[in-house]
Amino acid sequence: MKATELIPKLELIDPYKRFGKVIRVVGLMIESKGPEASVGDLCYIHVGGLQKRKVKAEVVGFRDENVILMPFTSVQEISPGSLVEATDEPLQVKVGADLIGNVIDSLGNPLDESTLPKGLTAVPTEQSPPNPMKRPPISEEIEVGVRVIDSMLTVGKGQRVGIFAGSGVGKSTLLGMIARNTEADINVIALIGERGREVREFIERDLGPEGLKKSIVVVATSDQPALMRIKGAYTATAIAEYFRDKGHNVMFMMDSVTRVAMAQREVGLAVGEPPTTKGYTPSVFSILPRLLERTGTNQLGTITAFYTVLVDGDDLNEPISDTVRGILDGHFVLDRNLANKGQFPAINVLKSVSRVMNNIVNEDHRRSAEQLRNLLAKYVESEDLINIGAYKRGSSKEIDEAISYHPQIISFLKQQVHENVSKSEAVESLIQLMKKG
């Protein structure tokens, strides 16, 4: 680079370091006098006696002329007068092809305490969603390797889908199946607010070596501070964006967006926001669209995203479920009643929808899926009468047809956890099943 090109860049460098002092710590919140910083900036708090170390914290707001910070780790050892150093930049994480196959934390550090590969690129965790006029329409199907999804709820490259379920209905198992079987180039998986025990179980049992070798897993467990859980979601999204901008088709999975919302509620309450709907603060409903809109298509590649949503008491109309459902391009509902009957994956086809399916599948596929849905709906509508023996065969031609098809339909919708079904096989099976009538 020529000296004439370097001079303007050197003029932009600020030669000064700015410091402030901690004056108060209340719960999750650290208040300091200075330094000069903006909301979202990363700061270092200098702590410790002889063994000095720096605690990373983020500026989350201001009170009068004081700076409000939230730490990425615990607040132990922080005392009145601790130095606060400004960095004048937001949190960045390092990412690159060599990161594939690794499990990292919200700050991009390997969880197994190894060193990061060399040659990675630093990217900011918070970025703007793509310009809507520069998003190509979703026009191509993507294979996820789950029969019921590929046939009845076909997903397009760049589609964003919510998986709505209560606890223990098979969300993690379904995500593992998708990660192992998908045709996407790379998986980015965010485990937010998980129990520590479940992390290795998911990686070793649900994902397996086959899934891990083309995945990057970002983990923020439930015992970590709220800010780490929020940053886990942002870090994973930034990693997916990096690979999309390299022209890849990325499969992005976040389990769960509800825990991100809960972490944001903690932060919001700590900085003095008023609790609104069911105790959630206004910032929760402003960060959700900003986060979820970052995935999808752009001019270079695609991010096909699956977000799990925990529904309290299986109530699909609670505030977070309702908000997320309105933002995404489809929702799959995992039904506890189906799980109790041994139907896995327990996706309730009648309550689930893929908003782009009709635009990307051929006419035979669409007609067969509609026919199966109608037969299933007719059976469910009359199920109580059938079970108690009140329905007499011959009373309705439609119900008779639904009853005769039902065992085959349920068999078609079931899939073993390690059973690999290609999309072409799934669609062909659906069309053949409906032709038998």
Side-chain angles (χ1 to χ4, degrees):
M1 193 178 280
K2 294 176 183 174
T4 50
E5 293 174 345
L6 275 171
I7 290 166
K9 293 181 183 293
L10 288 169
E11 285 173 354
L12 294 173
I13 296 171
D14 188 349
Y16 295 100
K17 277 192 176 182
R18 291 175 172 80
F19 291 92
K21 251 190 230 181
V22 171
I23 57 173
R24 185 181 301 141
V25 176
V26 181
L28 305 171
M29 183 189 69
I30 298 165
E31 203 170 320
S32 71
K33 193 80 176 169
E36 185 184 324
S38 307
V39 170
D41 278 1
L42 179 69
C43 290
Y44 292 114
I45 303 171
H46 295 253
V47 298
L50 294 172
Q51 293 182 326
K52 294 277 185 191
R53 63 186 185 90
K54 295 178 180 180
V55 173
K56 287 182 179 176
E58 185 176 294
V59 179
V60 293
F62 305 98
R63 179 171 291 137
D64 299 327
E65 292 182 5
N66 296 335
V67 178
I68 299 174
L69 301 144
M70 298 279 288
F72 288 104
T73 54
S74 68
V75 294
Q76 289 172 347
E77 294 186 354
I78 295 172
S79 57
S82 291
L83 278 180
V84 181
E85 178 188 340
T87 64
D88 293 327
E89 59 182 27
L91 178 69
Q92 295 191 330
V93 292
K94 292 187 173 179
V95 58
D98 289 338
L99 199 61
I100 298 169
N102 281 288
V103 182
I104 60 174
D105 66 13
S106 303
L107 306 178
N109 303 314
L111 267 193
D112 60 4
E113 299 180 350
S114 62
T115 54
L116 280 171
K118 298 202 183 299
L120 302 181
T121 306
V123 296
T125 58
E126 294 199 37
Q127 300 180 46
S128 300
N131 183 323
M133 292 304 291
K134 293 181 179 176
R135 280 189 188 268
I138 297 166
S139 56
E140 204 177 329
E141 304 167 36
I142 189 167
E143 182 177 318
V144 299
V146 179
R147 189 190 291 114
V148 62
I149 297 175
D150 283 336
S151 59
M152 297 299 299
L153 300 159
T154 309
V155 173
K157 285 181 181 173
Q159 186 175 350
R160 298 159 305 135
V161 179
I163 298 175
F164 293 76
S167 54
V169 189
K171 297 185 302 300
S172 297
T173 305
L174 179 60
L175 291 182
M177 286 175 74
I178 294 169
R180 287 193 309 274
N181 300 338
T182 180
E183 65 172 353
D185 303 325
I186 177 175
N187 301 314
V188 179
I189 304 167
L191 302 178
I192 310 298
E194 287 285 338
R195 303 172 189 89
R197 171 185 64 81
E198 289 181 329
V199 172
R200 271 190 73 173
E201 278 187 14
F202 175 81
I203 292 165
E204 293 175 8
R205 188 187 62 197
D206 296 327
L207 190 58
E210 172 190 350
L212 184 60
K213 70 183 178 189
K214 64 168 186 175
S215 304
I216 297 171
V217 184
V218 181
V219 175
T221 50
S222 57
D223 59 296
Q224 293 182 317
L227 200 59
M228 281 290 269
R229 283 174 269 145
I230 297 167
K231 285 298 165 191
Y234 281 93
T235 294
T237 306
I239 291 169
E241 288 170 326
Y242 170 87
F243 286 104
R244 175 180 63 187
D245 293 345
K246 295 287 182 188
H248 294 294
N249 294 314
V250 182
M251 181 63 73
F252 179 77
M253 288 169 258
M254 186 184 293
D255 184 14
S256 73
V257 74
T258 310
R259 293 192 180 113
V260 177
M262 288 174 172
Q264 182 61 37
R265 176 173 63 184
E266 282 182 49
V267 172
L269 291 172
V271 298
E273 283 189 73
T276 52
T277 318
K278 283 207 174 176
Y280 287 101
T281 56
S283 63
V284 172
F285 301 102
S286 68
I287 73 149
L288 283 175
R290 283 209 314 272
L291 178 63
L292 303 182
E293 284 289 350
R294 285 170 61 181
T295 53
T297 59
N298 74 359
Q299 295 161 305
L300 303 167
T302 64
I303 301 174
T304 308
F306 287 92
Y307 296 95
T308 70
V309 183
L310 283 166
V311 286
D312 292 334
D314 297 332
D315 174 17
L316 292 170
N317 296 315
E318 57 96 30
I320 300 303
S321 304
D322 215 32
T323 304
V324 171
R325 194 166 56 238
I327 296 167
L328 300 178
D329 312 315
H331 53 272
F332 300 166
V333 177
L334 298 189
D335 194 319
R336 194 176 299 280
N337 291 330
L338 295 181
N340 291 342
K341 291 176 185 174
Q343 182 180 323
F344 290 101
I347 296 174
N348 188 322
V349 172
L350 301 178
K351 290 182 181 177
S352 305
V353 66
S354 168
R355 291 181 184 165
V356 305
M357 178 176 172
N358 288 344
N359 301 330
I360 59 175
V361 300
N362 61 44
E363 188 58 27
D364 274 357
H365 182 177
R366 187 195 61 75
R367 198 184 302 112
S368 298
E370 204 172 274
Q371 194 181 344
L372 188 146
R373 196 179 278 264
N374 289 339
L375 287 166
L376 197 55
K378 186 57 70 177
Y379 183 89
V380 169
E381 196 180 299
S382 315
E383 190 169 17
D384 289 343
L385 291 175
I386 296 163
N387 288 343
I388 62 172
Y391 174 74
K392 289 184 181 175
R393 193 173 285 273
S395 304
S396 163
K397 187 183 173 187
E398 288 180 337
I399 297 175
D400 286 348
E401 189 181 18
I403 292 169
S404 67
Y405 265 105
H406 193 66
Q408 298 166 69
I409 289 173
I410 296 304
S411 177
F412 172 77
L413 297 177
K414 285 182 179 179
Q415 184 175 337
Q416 296 296 320
V417 173
H418 291 283
E419 181 187 352
N420 195 344
V421 179
S422 72
K423 185 177 182 304
S424 54
E425 286 172 8
V427 175
E428 186 58 35
S429 302
L430 170 67
I431 293 169
Q432 291 305 318
L433 176 60
M434 291 298 102
K435 275 183 178 172
K436 286 179 185 174

